Every structure is written in structure tokens, then in C-alpha cells.
Amino acid sequence: MSLPDPTPRFSLSLSHTTKDTAMTSTTKPKITIVGYGSQGRAHALNLRDSGFDVTIGLRPGGPTEIKAKADGFTVKTPAEAVKDAQIVAVLTPDMVQPQLYGEVIEPNIAQGACLLFAHGFNVHYGQITPREDLDVVLVAPKGPGALVRREYEIGRGVPSVYAVYQDKSGHAEQLALTYCAGIGGARQNAIKTTFKEETETDLFGEQAVLCGGATKLVQAGWETLVEAGYQPEVAYYECLHELKLIVDLFYEGGITRMHEFISETAQYGALTRGNYVVDDNTRAQMKKVLTEIQDGTFARQWIAEYAAGNANYKAMKQADLDHPIEEIGKKLRANMKWLSTAPAPVKPAITSEAA
């Protein structure tokens, strides 16, 4: 498929749309971004720089409203902002989206408009049932908002996936690609997926590997060394601090690059002992994680937890923050002067990070 230019002119004319959503050959679609967190701000700035008319939909009086206005955007209430938009991008946290859609977006979004998400969670798990007249698409950059913005500014782009859930106009895929191009995603190879695949793989990656798996592996490694009598500071360096070096090699050139830059001793140890840790039981547990994502168990648990006030979530998160490795890390990082001069860290690209 030939992807559009990073800043394409929109060339569709949709005869079935109302005058509010009509598109001509000389205009780009008018876009409303609902939410102005990490992803929302990056998308809005990139789209504006690509020549799109962008309005921000936010609740009045909040800090994000101040930030969006300082960035020069027109800010309206979500209800007002979506009325004239041809594309409405919902970039708020997953758990607030169903109520936001039902009470604010659905009653006000124009006939024939395009509803866009950056994560398929609510549509895939039936928390949002989009109105039948709408195109419904997904555009998900595979990186945090700050990186999406930074890569765009230097003329590159963060790879993205896109999907079409509902194609009422017959042009939903082009709308998704136009938006993807506007945020810089078409400068890389935009990969077509489905709401199901994006949602399930995204949840699995963060639960089994990126966030859940990596955190528990680091904590368990540190605990093993400390319980064996080694200094907690030395254990911190070996099990947490140096992880960045390996992840950077993965990022730059995959497992091949790691093997190019680590010692033969490290290679032999990894090749002969890695299966001690990630064994058949680990793989079975990963399959369990995936099954609970596929059959909706995880989604039901998380939705119920949020509805009940997040008491368990808050307790589990606090336990992570109170882990002894965190106290050791704070002391050691206080002496890492280069951290204070480094660019501000970007927020991880996890599903509800768009808020």
C-alpha cells in the first residue's frame, strides 16, 4: 500500500456527510483532540504543524486547559469541541472514555464524522459501542508522547499501527492514514492491524514483558543477591541500573546487537542459564496472561476495580513504590550527576498514558 505524504492534502469528497463534516479537495479534515496529556499534546502539536485545523476539548479550569492555551490552541468543552470536527481523537485514559463517549461525545459528534482512538481497549471489550453512522479507526504510535513530538520535530517519526473498526463512509482507512501521516507516523512504515490485535498484544506486552515482567524480574534478582549476603547497592547496579544498557542495545539492533557488544562470558552465561529463569513454567504463565486478556478476564477485573474505587490497585502500586530497591536506588541516583542534566524522562507508552 502506498502511504500518504507526512503532510498530505486531504482529497476526499464524502457526499453522504452533513455540511458540518463535508470534506473538499482543498481542505484537510478538521480535527478535535479530546484530552491533552502526553499523547494528546504531541498529536495536537504535530497535526497543527502538518497544516491541520486542531481544536482541543477539555474540561474548563484544569491544568491541561492552561497548557493547551499556552500552546496556542483553541480550547472548548468536549461537547462543543466535537460538534464541528470531522475527526474526533479520544486521547483520555481508558477508564474515563465510556462515560465521556456516552454522555458527551455521542450526543454531540456530527453525523458521518470519524471517531479515532489510540488504543482499542474500550471498543474491543464492548465498553463503547460507536454510533452506526460514524467511521471508527485507531492510530497508535509505538512510543510515548514526548518521543512522538521529538521525532516529528527532527524530521523523523515514531512507527505506528492503525486499524479500521467501522467503515461507514468507505474512506475510513484513508482517514486513519491521513491522521497517522499528520502526527509523523507515516514517515515510518505504518502497519495495518485490527482493534483486537492491537489491544491484546499491547496488554500482553506490558503485563508479561515490559512492565509486569521486567519489574518482577528486577525485584526478584535484587532480592536473590541481597538475601545471599551481597551489598544491596551492588545488587542494584547489577539487576536494575545496567538493564538500560541492554535495553538500549535491543532498541538499536535487537538481540543481534546485544551479542555484538557483550562479552563472551556474558553471552555464554545468557545462552546456558537464561532458560533457568524463563522456562516452560514461565511460558505457561505467559500463556495464562494472554488467555485472560483474550477471554476478557483482565478487562473485567480492571473495569470492576476502577468502578470500586481502585483500593487494590492503589495498595499494589504502593507496595511496588515501597520495595527496598527503591530506597537504595534513590540514594545511588542522587550521586549520578548526569541524571540531573539529562533530558526529562518521557512517560512510558502504556495504554492510558494519553491522559
Side-chain angles (χ1 to χ4, degrees), residues 38 138 155 173 183 232 248 279 309:
S38 175
L138 177 149
E173 183 171 359
I183 64 172
D248 284 349
D279 58 9

Side-chain angles (χ1 to χ4, degrees), residues 218-220 222-223 318-328:
V218 165
Q219 290 173 341
W222 184 85
E223 290 166 359
Q318 192 60 49
D320 244 12
L321 300 178
D322 291 339
H323 191 281
I325 197 174
E326 289 300 284
E327 189 60 34
I328 295 296

Side-chain angles (χ1 to χ4, degrees), residues 1 135 137 162-164 167 170-178 192:
M1 176 179 293
D135 286 338
V137 302
Y162 73 96
V164 176
D167 185 9
H171 301 290
E173 183 171 359
Q174 180 62 44
L175 285 167
L177 286 169
T178 297
K192 187 174 183 178

Side-chain angles (χ1 to χ4, degrees), residues 36 41-42 44-45 48 56 64-75:
Y36 203 70
R41 183 172 187 266
L45 291 170
R48 184 174 66 184
I56 311 299
T64 52
E65 180 189 34
I66 295 171
K67 183 183 293 186
K69 287 183 175 179
D71 286 336
F73 286 104
T74 298
V75 180

